């Protein structure tokens, strides 16, 4: 490893770093990973400018490289987060020692242009297991640890480990549930229509996962997602859902329905270096056009704004797929990512629509979002439309696309095909009540 760097560009970015880590664990899975986040570094960039901030980051990177020298592989995971791979599966105590060693060496201020900066860090550490060669599983564990480290009150360090076996009744039950759900075909895709609010024509369908539990009936996927996240199986769930979307597209097309199909994309898929090639395989297998699909990601993923995110999204759009930001405005105020990531659709979070009648500020938020969408040349979709009053207000504002229970709940494939061939009923008619009955 090069100990000193002349610029940040020479440090492996997230995409390159992930590939390097992947190559390492294919040959020797016994590795540990530290993700090092520079605390409140945004204050430096906003206060002194990005050029000054880059100089500080370069000094931090070179000091980390000097501290660990040939013992570790260094990468720049995102703007102010560095990754460090250390050979061997180390204990929590050992990795905490490395964290303490790092912090101790940064007690001396960094000097730049007559200013001094004392760096502090949040560190998420993860130990791989000897049998694991899945770089996304390994990396996701370290990211989860870093997220927890940022929330800790007394220690900016968090450790996580991939275990060979899981113990505890709940853990075993979750593992059995997800294994059975896949092996017994308990998972199913439901579809909620996306509607042209002017004509009430169905123009698209959002894929929503449902779990046909053998004891509890049809369930929302929360418990399944909990199990998948616990066992780092979100990639499996995501790819299963994607394949069902491709398969469903062939059925829609055969029934004369030319619809845009929306699929939620998990962060693990976006960070999967094989994601685009897997999309191409699905396209060849089912012989459907990529233009028929829209992948939805949440704002927190877009907000990460890493090179890998930008690169993956650019490659996905190059295939012809559309990119949508889901739940727009839910909990995030930093819209800087809108300048850097090319997107095709903004989906307004349903909380702004569902209280539209009672809360005037919600109308203002939707109108402001419309201005952003127009400037970005994006389509705008309103979620959570449940009343005729919602529909009327959205039409007044000029929103032309939406979805919600006013039109239909999510339904199985066969039922959706019937629905799409009928005129939509809205309001309080018997037909409407029958369609939305639980």
């Amino acid at each position: 490893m090069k100990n000193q760097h002349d610029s940040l560009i020479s440090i492996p970015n997230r995409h390159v770093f992930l590939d390097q880590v992947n190559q390492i664990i294919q040959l020797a899975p016994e590795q540990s990973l530290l993700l090092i986040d520079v605390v409140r570094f945004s204050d430096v960039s906003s206060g002194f400018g990005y050029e000054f901030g880059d100089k500080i980051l370069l000094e931090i990177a070179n000091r980390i490289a000097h501290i660990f020298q040939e013992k570790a592989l260094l990468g720049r995971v995102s703007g102010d987060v560095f990754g460090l791979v250390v050979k061997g599966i180390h204990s929590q105590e050992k990795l905490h020692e490395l964290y303490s060693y790092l912090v101790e060496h940064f007690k001396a201020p960094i000097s730049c242009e007559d200013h001094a900066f004392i760096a502090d860090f949040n560190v998420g550490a993860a130990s791989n297991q000897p049998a694991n060669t899945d770089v996304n599983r390994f990396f996701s564990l370290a990211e989860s640890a870093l997220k927890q480290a940022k929330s800790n009150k007394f220690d900016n360090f968090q450790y996580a480990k991939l275990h060979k076996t899981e113990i505890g009744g709940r853990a075993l039950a979750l593992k059995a549930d997800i294994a059975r759900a896949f092996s017994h075909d308990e998972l199913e895709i439901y579809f909620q229509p996306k509607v042209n609010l002017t004509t009430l024509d169905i123009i698209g369908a959002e894929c929503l996962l449902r779990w046909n539990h053998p004891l509890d009936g049809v369930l929302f996927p929360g418990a399944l997602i909990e199990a998948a996240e616990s066992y780092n199986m979100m990639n499996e769930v995501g790819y299963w859902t994607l394949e069902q979307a491709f398969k469903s597209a062939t059925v829609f097309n055969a029934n004369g329905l030319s619809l845009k199909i929306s699929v939620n994309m998990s962060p693990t898929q976006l960070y999967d270096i094989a994601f685009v090639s897997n999309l191409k395989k699905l396209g060849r297998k089912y012989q459907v056009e990529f233009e028929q699909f829209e992948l939805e990601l949440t704002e927190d993923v877009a907000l990460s704004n890493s090179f890998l995110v930008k690169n993956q999204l650019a490659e996905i759009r190059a295939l012809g797929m559309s990119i949508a930001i889901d739940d727009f405005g839910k909990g995030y105020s930093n819209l800087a990512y809108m300048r850097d990531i090319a997107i095709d659709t903004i989906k307004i979070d349903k909380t702004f629509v569902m209280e539209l009648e009672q809360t005037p500020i919600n109308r203002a938020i939707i109108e402001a979002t419309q201005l952003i969408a127009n400037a970005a040349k994006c389509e705008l979709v309103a979620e959570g439309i449940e009343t005729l009053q919602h529909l009327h207000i959205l039409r007044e504002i000029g929103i032309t696309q939406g979805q919600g229970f006013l039109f239909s709940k999510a339904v199985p494939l066969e039922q959706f095909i019937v629905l799409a061939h009928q005129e939509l009923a809205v309001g309080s008619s018997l037909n409407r009540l029958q369609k939305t009955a639980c």
Side-chain angles (χ1 to χ4, degrees), residues 181-251:
F182 277 111
S183 63
H184 288 68
D185 294 325
E186 295 175 9
L187 305 183
E188 185 178 3
I189 297 297
Y190 277 38
F191 299 87
Q192 186 172 39
K194 183 193 294 183
V195 177
N196 181 311
L197 300 186
T198 303
T199 65
L200 296 186
D201 292 331
I202 294 176
I203 57 175
E206 180 178 359
C207 297
L208 297 169
L209 185 63
R210 295 293 183 265
W211 183 7
N212 293 303
H213 195 279
L215 299 178
D216 300 323
V218 179
L219 301 177
F220 289 89
L224 183 75
I225 298 301
E226 179 186 353
E229 289 178 342
S230 298
Y231 290 93
N232 297 288
M233 294 180 68
M234 281 304 298
N235 241 15
E236 287 86 339
V237 173
Y239 279 124
W240 183 90
T241 304
L242 262 177
E243 180 153 14
Q244 298 309 305
F246 273 78
K247 189 183 297 184
S248 299
T250 64
V251 179

Side-chain angles (χ1 to χ4, degrees), residues 226-433:
E226 179 186 353
E229 289 178 342
S230 298
Y231 290 93
N232 297 288
M233 294 180 68
M234 281 304 298
N235 241 15
E236 287 86 339
V237 173
Y239 279 124
W240 183 90
T241 304
L242 262 177
E243 180 153 14
Q244 298 309 305
F246 273 78
K247 189 183 297 184
S248 299
T250 64
V251 179
F252 287 146
N253 296 342
N255 281 272
L257 297 173
S258 180
L259 301 173
K260 177 82 80 172
I261 300 174
S262 301
V263 188
N264 288 292
M265 181 168 48
S266 73
T268 55
Q269 288 177 300
L270 196 55
Y271 296 140
D272 181 358
I273 56 180
F275 184 60
V276 173
S277 63
N278 286 333
L279 285 176
K280 292 178 181 178
K281 289 177 185 177
L282 288 172
R284 289 193 295 268
K285 181 176 180 179
Y286 291 99
Q287 293 297 300
V288 290
E289 298 296 327
F290 289 114
E291 288 80 1
Q292 193 168 352
F293 298 92
E294 179 177 73
L295 298 184
E296 298 183 6
L297 63 151
T298 55
E299 275 193 276
D300 56 339
V301 176
L303 199 62
S304 68
N305 209 12
S306 71
F307 173 83
L308 180 59
V309 170
K310 293 179 186 177
N311 187 61
Q312 289 274 60
L313 293 180
E315 290 188 31
I316 291 167
R317 293 183 83 242
L319 292 178
M321 284 187 166
S322 301
I323 300 296
I325 298 293
D326 196 16
D327 300 335
F328 185 83
K330 185 179 180 180
Y332 293 93
S333 58
N334 184 352
L335 301 179
Y337 70 87
M338 294 289 294
R339 299 195 304 261
D340 302 318
I341 294 179
I343 59 175
D344 305 284
T345 304
I346 294 174
K347 301 187 75 175
I348 303 169
D349 185 63
K350 62 184 179 182
T351 56
F352 298 115
V353 175
M354 293 174 70
E355 297 179 4
L356 191 54
E357 299 158 271
Q358 299 81 17
T359 312
I361 191 68
N362 282 10
R363 176 168 181 149
I365 291 171
I366 292 173
E367 290 173 341
T369 305
Q370 187 179 37
L371 291 174
I372 294 172
N374 290 340
K377 296 181 173 57
C378 292
E379 293 180 349
L380 192 61
V381 179
E383 297 184 285
I385 304 172
E386 295 193 355
T387 69
L388 283 173
Q389 188 65 16
H390 290 161
L391 178 60
H392 293 326
I393 296 174
L394 290 169
R395 281 173 168 173
E396 286 176 8
I397 295 172
I399 308 300
T400 60
Q401 297 183 33
Q403 59 191 80
F405 275 21
L406 178 65
F407 312 114
S408 174
K409 63 179 181 178
V411 295
L413 178 64
E414 295 79 8
Q415 193 174 337
F416 183 91
I417 291 172
V418 173
L419 178 69
H421 280 110
Q422 298 175 344
E423 290 187 6
L424 280 178
V426 298
S428 57
S429 68
L430 178 61
N431 191 17
R432 152 71 185 155
L433 295 175

Side-chain angles (χ1 to χ4, degrees), residues 16 18-28 135:
V16 175
L18 262 175
D19 187 54
Q20 291 176 337
V21 177
N22 182 53
Q23 292 180 39
I24 289 171
I25 67 171
Q26 299 308 312
L27 298 174
V135 68

